[in-house]
Amino acid sequence: MRTFRAGVIGCGSVGKVHTECVKQLDGFDMVAYCDIFEENALSLLEQYGGEYATSDIDRFFADDSLDVIYVTTLHDTHAEYSIRALLSGKHVMVEKPLALTAEECVRVGDAVNQSGKKLMAAFKLRFHEMVLKAKELIPNPVMVSMQLMDNRWGDHIWANDPIKGGGNILSQGCHATDILRFVAGGDPVETYATGGHYYQANGLPDNISAVYRFDNGVAGNLIVGDANTPSYTSKFYMQIFAEGKSVTLSDRLTTLTYNAADEEPVVFRSTEAGMLEENKALLQCLQQETEPPVNHIDGLYSTLMIMQAIESLNSRKPEPIRPLIEQLNCR
Ligand SMILES: NC(=O)c1ccc[n+]([C@@H]2O[C@H](COP(=O)([O-])OP(=O)(O)OC[C@H]3O[C@@H](n4cnc5c(N)ncnc54)[C@H](O)[C@@H]3O)[C@@H](O)[C@H]2O)c1
């Protein structure tokens, strides 16, 4: 079986984790490293091996020997680099969020369609074993509640920069909206949100509470912020309800407690292996020439679910989501 040759642009902490995952998989090899700071690219080359490290971005995208490019840079370059990779004939794994605006997500989608190449959006929580188990136990929920509550983000980290990162609500909240939609099993029609900007120096919303109405009737509830991680729930916490049963996912979604009426609770546990599993999923779709399990439309929804919640903070009214997706005509 052939080996897919990969390169990574953005050789920081998550570029390193993807490199470690790729290096574990037969059929995949990480051969090229690119970063605006050459020493970051060199550091991964030295640790994991490969063919070259460079800060020459044009050279990297022009390398026709690469099959796949990992985009693990700051958020304001995700769309541009994904588009460049696709249009130069490479498949793409792009870290979350797909892009900072819906329009950029749509441009990425256009490049996917134009190039015929595959793009996978890296939403690792979908690949957590206990999340998949929860979907199996409650395939048709009536209500889903997702909480992503981090400790206070530093005022000056790049992800909190309005241009480079978009702030904590979008940066990490897109994980939460993606998994909320995934578990709800439908598409969000509209959202209403409260909360907003409380203390961050960037002036962006830092803690929000939003409800989503899904087209399959599911009621979704989302809390995202950086006020403080409660030890009881952990940073990632989800509850899923259906008539006569419920699932609670705690310990960063690695512990699942299943309750069914008149039965003793059952507890299942796993580890956080989502990132390795998403890399396996990408390799599988390349080998079998199937569609990626998480694509640009999923990326668009996760970004737009946050953007429209923020819009609702300002308008104090419910804001549409699916009608906007239809208007954007993203395929
Ligand atoms: N899936 C997850 O759980 C998870 C966790 C953390 C971060 N992330 C995502 O991973 C991505 C990277 O985050 P990180 O924590 O590794 O950040 P980081 O700061 O550790 O690394 C970013 C790297 O990109 C390089 N870079 C910056 N601008 C560049 C440019 N224009 N061209 C080329 N290289 C550039 C930097 O020099 C740095 O080496 C972000 O999208 C972030 O949201 C995902």
Side-chain angles (χ1 to χ4, degrees), residues 201-221:
N202 59 15
L204 297 173
D206 43 46
N207 288 270
I208 64 163
S209 172
V211 290
Y212 294 88
R213 182 165 70 81
F214 283 88
D215 59 1
N216 57 357
V218 172
N221 171 48

Side-chain angles (χ1 to χ4, degrees), residues 134 137-138 238-240 245-249 256-259:
L137 289 167
I138 305 191
M238 181 172 245
Q239 290 186 290
I240 308 162
K245 52 191 178 179
S246 68
V247 156
T248 301
L249 288 165
L256 186 158
T257 308
Y258 177 62
N259 287 271

Side-chain angles (χ1 to χ4, degrees), residues 9-15 34-37 40 57 72-75 77-78 81 95-97 122 124 158 171 175 275:
I9 182 158
C11 300
S13 57
V14 171
C34 182
D35 199 286
I36 34 164
F37 297 110
N40 293 356
I57 288 165
T72 54
T73 50
L74 317 192
H75 304 155
T77 46
H78 285 187
Y81 285 167
E95 257 306 332
K96 54 78 193 168
K124 67 176 184 186
W158 69 255
S171 291
H175 263 316
M275 231 157 180

Side-chain angles (χ1 to χ4, degrees), residues 242-256:
E243 187 181 4
K245 52 191 178 179
S246 68
V247 156
T248 301
L249 288 165
S250 54
D251 295 332
R252 296 176 59 90
L253 312 181
T254 62
T255 300
L256 186 158

